[in-house]
Amino acid sequence: ALVPNPRIAIWVVLCVVLSIVNTLGYMYFWDVTISGVSTIYVLICVGLAVDYAAHIAHMFKESTGTARERAINAVDRIGVCTFNAVLSTLLAVVVVGLSESYVFRIFFKVLFLVVVIAGAHGLWLLPAILSLVGGSKQSLESYSAGEAPAADKASRIAAEDA
């Protein structure tokens, strides 16, 4: 499992769902009807939405510190690579947008929307959410140095007050 932490996985799923719902909403305004062609492209785009969010979430899971520090570290470590993936996919899709074929025009519109929306959700929304609710994680060095985890400190303080 790429993101085995349920607290993080829930937010990844939310970002993916929001990306697809937003894409479907913008498809309406871009005169893309729900057809066999557009549905197949939307299903393909779920993979892109997962890709952008999962990379950030995985780096967040591997990082240590407060939730804010972990989110910043995740964007520092993998954000540039994720942005390059968004940009390179966008450049490849723009070329297809020049086509006169219906299938290619729909492909362009759907992929353009999902790359921009899912990229924004993966690079900005997910780190912002995780910085607020992602939780802290101490490094192994902290444990070996004799520092108690925050939960142990809190329970010790509560026991002393009682």
Side-chain angles (χ1 to χ4, degrees), residues 9-69:
I10 288 169
W11 296 111
V12 171
V13 170
L14 179 70
C15 278
V16 171
V17 169
L18 286 175
S19 296
I20 298 306
V21 168
N22 287 346
T23 299
L24 291 171
Y26 281 108
M27 283 170 53
Y28 170 80
F29 291 112
W30 214 349
D31 295 325
V32 177
T33 58
I34 302 297
S35 65
V37 173
S38 63
T39 302
I40 290 170
Y41 293 146
V42 169
L43 290 175
I44 291 170
C45 289
V46 170
L48 286 173
V50 169
D51 187 51
Y52 301 147
H55 281 91
I56 297 293
H58 180 70
M59 280 298 124
F60 181 85
K61 181 186 78 67
E62 296 297 318
S63 299
T64 58
T66 66
R68 185 172 187 270
E69 291 168 347

Side-chain angles (χ1 to χ4, degrees), residues 7 33 67 75 110 122 129 136 146 158:
R7 177 187 286 180
T33 58
V75 173
V110 173
I129 290 172
S136 298

